[in-house]
Amino acid sequence: MAAFAARSSHSAWGLVRRYRIFLGIIATVLIFHLCFINMRPKPKHLLARTVQDVVQFNDVRTPPGYNATRLPAKAAFVVLTRNSELHPLRVAISQIEDRFNRHRGYPYIFLNDEPFTEEFKETISWATNSRVSFGLVPRDHWDLPDHIDRQRMRDGMAFLKSKDVIHSDSLSYRQMSRYYAGFFHKHPLLEDLDYYWRIEYDAEYTCDIDYDPFVYMRERAIKYGFTITLHEFFDTVKSLWSSAQNFMTTYPHYLEEKNTLDWISSDGGNSYNLCHFWTNFEVLDLAFLRSERYDKFFQHVDQAGGIFYERWGDAPIRSVAVSMFLRKEETHWFEDVGYTHTAFQNCPASPELQKKCHCDPGRSIHLNDFSCTREWVQLPPSKA
């Protein structure tokens, strides 16, 4: 019995040793595997860091017989979207086609921070007979900048979440806002354009547009067009105005002499009244965004970090820039363009225009005190 016990003990110890050796081999394999994964070349879309790097990813699909040189203006619809937004985006594009573009043929440019799927590209192409282009956003235009304090950003997100502010803790919303505020117009797919029209996947176009807004703006030297204005949530832009004031003090020569700062400040420039153009719909002259003064202003607010710390949106940033740099005559309210996005809509009241619409003018946001459009209309002309 003693010998049997000794043999059993020895046998058990041998099993333990073999088990430990086996675990050691497994651990070694796992470590090697992880190291190998980290050493493998990254997918090209993860390495794209600059504008030049993403050019190879651009996919332009031109239908037979399409001729962009016949277009009245060098313009396009631009959509920053995700693969998951494919089907609601088809609805918005079908509406803008029915209401306007099927008679015009302006192209579409789709941008994404991840590569578009073949399903997305093929399916979205069915919604229009125009040229469609698919581009990848450069990583250095999208990723969190190095100068941002991560902990401060998380603290700011938590504060807004405690206030139940929309998009309070969304990093992707902040990345989107930064991209629209300062980078989208630098994408290679837009380099030959003079004008752009922003499209959102859940927007609705409720009136026929029987003229060309791009040509309308060009003929009247209009730089910026909008449909809806709103008041921003104070907690999301608490320090935006102080940053703008600092910019105006540092670069007074960039200010338009006949600016519209009275629209965004009701007390002579002491504070921001939170009015802004809702950039979900905007038609603009890209030369404005490419100008030195706009680029300087964006760099200024980007370095301040408020996009990530407080959730400054591209709408208030753009609105402050428009108010500083443009005259009233260079900014236009497209009152006749029926547009609905989420709970807000622009709907013309004129009976003549209503013949071309399917919206309720009594629900147009400009009649609501949450809008700033009436204050915009009441601004005196710059030429007066």
Side-chain angles (χ1 to χ4, degrees):
M1 290 295 291
F4 179 79
R7 285 196 301 271
S8 297
S9 176
H10 180 76
S11 176
W13 175 244
L15 287 173
V16 169
R17 290 183 62 192
R18 286 195 292 272
Y19 184 69
R20 286 179 176 175
I21 293 171
F22 176 75
L23 288 180
I25 294 172
I26 293 297
T28 302
V29 170
L30 286 174
I31 291 171
F32 176 81
H33 181 65
L34 290 173
C35 292
F36 177 73
I37 288 175
N38 289 331
M39 292 171 61
R40 282 188 303 172
K42 302 293 188 203
K44 288 186 177 180
H45 76 272
L46 296 180
L47 289 174
R49 303 301 303 180
T50 67
V51 171
Q52 289 74 25
D53 291 332
V54 303
V55 172
Q56 61 183 308
F57 296 99
N58 295 339
D59 184 354
V60 180
R61 303 187 178 195
T62 305
Y66 184 79
N67 188 349
T69 61
R70 295 179 181 176
L71 294 174
K74 295 171 68 174
F77 299 100
V78 176
V79 191
L80 179 62
T81 189
R82 299 185 178 99
N83 289 302
S84 60
E85 295 166 347
L86 168 62
H87 295 295
L89 180 57
R90 289 175 65 195
V91 175
I93 292 175
S94 296
Q95 287 194 356
I96 199 66
E97 285 291 307
D98 290 343
R99 293 298 194 177
F100 168 70
N101 200 48
R102 63 192 173 96
H103 303 299
R104 308 289 177 170
Y106 284 108
Y108 292 83
I109 297 172
F110 300 93
L111 302 175
N112 194 346
D113 67 301
E114 297 181 352
F116 283 107
T117 63
E118 284 302 315
E119 177 193 14
F120 184 99
K121 291 189 282 190
E122 180 180 4
T123 306
I124 208 68
S125 301
W126 300 338
T128 178
N129 291 322
S130 295
R131 185 182 66 205
V132 292
S133 303
F134 304 93
L136 186 66
V137 174
R139 297 312 317 176
D140 56 343
H141 290 180
W142 189 260
D143 287 344
L144 198 62
D146 291 338
H147 67 271
I148 296 300
D149 182 327
R150 272 59 172 173
Q151 186 57 52
R152 182 179 172 186
M153 180 184 70
R154 288 190 288 269
D155 291 343
M157 288 178 169
F159 170 75
L160 292 181
K161 191 172 182 64
S162 71
K163 298 277 188 174
D164 293 324
V165 174
I166 188 172
H167 307 306
S168 57
D169 57 351
S170 172
L171 177 58
S172 64
Y173 181 86
R174 289 163 169 80
Q175 291 170 308
M176 177 273 295
S177 295
R178 181 173 182 257
Y179 187 65
Y180 264 129
F183 292 109
F184 84 92
H185 55 282
K186 299 178 181 180
H187 196 282
L189 288 174
L190 278 74
E191 63 185 8
D192 294 328
L193 298 182
D194 294 331
Y195 297 89
Y196 110 107
W197 182 330
R198 176 170 165 176
I199 300 290
E200 291 290 326
Y201 75 92
D202 51 357
E204 183 179 5
Y205 296 85
T206 56
C207 300
D208 292 336
I209 305 170
D210 52 12
Y211 66 99
D212 190 325
F214 299 122
V215 174
Y216 181 90
M217 292 178 66
R218 185 180 64 197
E219 291 177 345
R220 292 160 179 79
I222 296 170
K223 306 296 184 184
Y224 190 81
F226 68 95
T227 55
I228 290 173
T229 66
L230 298 172
H231 285 87
E232 185 57 284
F233 297 107
F234 172 75
D235 287 324
T236 68
V237 289
K238 286 190 294 187
S239 64
L240 174 60
W241 187 245
S242 62
S243 182
Q245 287 176 313
N246 180 266
F247 176 86
M248 290 185 277
T249 300
T250 308
Y251 304 102
H253 56 286
Y254 285 135
L255 295 184
E256 163 60 43
E257 182 181 356
K258 297 180 178 180
N259 58 64
T260 57
L261 285 169
D262 286 343
W263 181 62
I264 60 172
S265 179
S266 305
D267 54 10
N270 290 321
S271 65
Y272 178 32
N273 62 17
L274 308 179
C275 286
H276 65 279
F277 305 111
W278 213 31
T279 50
N280 293 286
F281 173 101
E282 64 178 4
V283 185
L284 60 78
D285 184 339
L286 288 167
F288 171 60
L289 298 188
R290 294 166 180 155
S291 67
E292 180 180 308
R293 58 186 179 178
Y294 185 89
D295 192 57
K296 282 280 189 182
F297 177 64
F298 171 72
Q299 291 180 38
H300 180 82
V301 298
D302 191 40
Q303 283 298 313
I307 294 173
F308 295 97
Y309 301 145
E310 295 180 9
R311 209 218 69 182
W312 297 352
D314 57 284
I317 292 172
R318 182 96 79 240
S319 301
V320 172
V322 168
S323 298
M324 288 193 300
F325 303 142
L326 300 182
R327 301 188 304 274
K328 185 180 181 183
E329 290 73 26
E330 295 177 304
T331 307
H332 178 69
W333 175 28
F334 282 103
E335 182 181 4
D336 56 334
V337 174
Y339 177 77
T340 301
H341 183 69
T342 63
F344 306 116
Q345 70 167 320
N346 184 73
C347 181
S350 163
E352 286 301 310
L353 292 175
Q354 272 293 310
K355 293 177 182 178
K356 302 182 290 184
C357 301
H358 70 265
C359 56
D360 180 356
R363 297 180 58 195
S364 189
I365 188 62
H366 77 277
L367 303 175
N368 191 299
D369 289 339
F370 194 52
S371 169
C372 301
T373 302
R374 283 179 291 185
E375 289 82 354
W376 173 264
V377 172
Q378 291 167 5
L379 281 177
S382 301
K383 298 177 181 178

